[in-house]
Amino acid sequence: MKGRATVVLSLALVLAGGAAAQPAGKVPPLIFPVVGSTQYIDDFGQPRPGGTHQGNDLMAARKSIAVAVEPGTITFWTKSASAGCMLYLHGASGTTYLYIHLNNDVGNGNDNRGKCVAGGSYAPGLKDGAHVEAGQPVGFVGDSGDANGVGTHLHFEVHPNDGDAVDPFPYLNKATHLLFSAPLGSTVTLTLTGTVTAATGSGLSLRVSELRVLPGGPIMKSVDAPVSLALPTDVLQAHAVTQVLRRKVIVLSEPVQATLDVLEGKNLSAARVAIAP
């Protein structure tokens, strides 16, 4: 790869290039690489101490889940002081993606006590060289490397045909955002807290502010996403449809198998609806 921001990253890309041989092709429609609330601007090409910025910085909470933007193969990279904990996703399309400044903290603060390993920087159980599907968790947002203390974010790069970096911004703007993350094929139940924007006898739409994936998932706050759920007969129990409209409610979903559509917030049904205290 050419045009790297630092000599260290240039060497990393040369060493990893052999693992990235894929059929040539255009950048496909992507899954957005971070799950949950994220802010970013088009900062590609901005001047930086090591050269021009080769990606977009996706600002997100510490340990937010980073996911594969398309199917491909993972390569861990832990030998760059500037990048910190990072990985390559060698996409099936031939595009290579860089995920830089992944988490290196053990606690909830910036303690720098972690290592670049699965369960810390990378998704639990993920192995170097593993194949991943689109939407599969691959790592956690952090501030390792020269981003330490600057603000937790994912530095995300796009290299079509494993070549020079291009601006990720237009691809990110068109990317599909996941409502939550879970292992594909697993059975999950969601607890959704939000305000009802529409309600009928057979369906419920709400603006979700908080979400939790059961069993065992963390609570995601500041979600701010619209979700529609099918509403089987009598799920509202004592509450009439008119009573929940524009009210804050807590919805427990029916158990559902985690497909990519489900991770996007589609094909969900409510098992119980309660007005939030």
Side-chain angles (χ1 to χ4, degrees):
M1 293 183 185
K2 304 175 183 177
R4 305 300 307 127
T6 66
V7 174
V8 174
L9 281 181
S10 296
L11 177 60
L13 292 170
V14 170
L15 293 175
Q22 296 285 351
K26 296 181 179 179
V27 179
L30 302 181
I31 299 296
F32 195 85
V34 177
V35 178
S37 179
T38 310
Q39 296 182 352
Y40 63 99
I41 61 173
D42 190 1
D43 53 353
F44 181 81
Q46 288 184 355
R48 298 294 168 90
T52 57
H53 199 225
Q54 296 291 289
N56 289 160
D57 287 341
L58 312 182
M59 311 305 294
R62 190 182 312 277
K63 299 184 182 180
S64 295
I65 296 173
V67 297
V69 295
E70 67 158 301
T73 303
I74 292 296
T75 298
F76 295 168
W77 190 259
T78 63
K79 299 180 180 180
S80 169
S82 56
C85 304
M86 64 171 284
L87 62 79
Y88 300 91
L89 170 60
H90 308 294
S93 69
T95 301
T96 296
Y97 309 90
L98 275 64
Y99 294 63
I100 298 177
H101 304 314
L102 296 173
N103 176 65
N104 69 337
D105 300 312
V106 175
N108 294 324
N110 185 28
D111 55 50
N112 296 317
R113 293 190 292 115
K115 296 182 179 180
C116 303
V117 296
S121 303
Y122 311 120
L126 187 66
K127 295 182 179 180
D128 192 11
H131 175 80
V132 294
E133 298 295 337
Q136 181 175 333
V138 295
F140 301 98
V141 172
D143 63 353
S144 61
D146 60 12
N148 183 44
V150 174
T152 55
H153 67 276
L154 176 68
H155 172 102
F156 179 72
E157 296 187 15
V158 176
H159 294 258
N161 297 319
D162 199 34
D164 293 344
V166 300
D167 191 352
F169 194 71
Y171 302 108
L172 292 171
N173 286 344
K174 296 178 181 179
T176 298
H177 288 252
L178 300 186
L179 177 66
F180 68 99
S181 178
L184 294 174
S186 63
T187 299
V188 297
T189 301
L190 303 181
T191 300
L192 306 165
T193 301
T195 301
V196 177
T197 57
T200 68
S202 60
L204 192 71
S205 297
L206 63 157
R207 193 81 191 181
V208 176
S209 58
E210 187 174 294
L211 178 152
R212 185 169 188 178
V213 183
L214 303 173
I219 296 175
M220 295 174 55
K221 298 184 178 182
S222 303
V223 176
D224 192 25
V227 175
S228 295
L229 303 97
L231 198 62
T233 304
D234 297 330
V235 162
L236 283 180
Q237 299 175 356
H239 306 300
V241 168
T242 54
Q243 289 180 312
V244 298
L245 191 60
R246 292 183 291 276
R247 296 287 297 274
K248 186 176 181 180
V249 299
I250 301 172
V251 179
L252 181 69
S253 78
E254 294 280 3
V256 64
Q257 187 178 56
T259 64
L260 196 54
D261 279 350
V262 168
L263 298 185
E264 292 175 25
K266 302 175 182 177
N267 303 328
L268 297 173
S269 296
R272 187 167 53 191
V273 177
I275 295 175

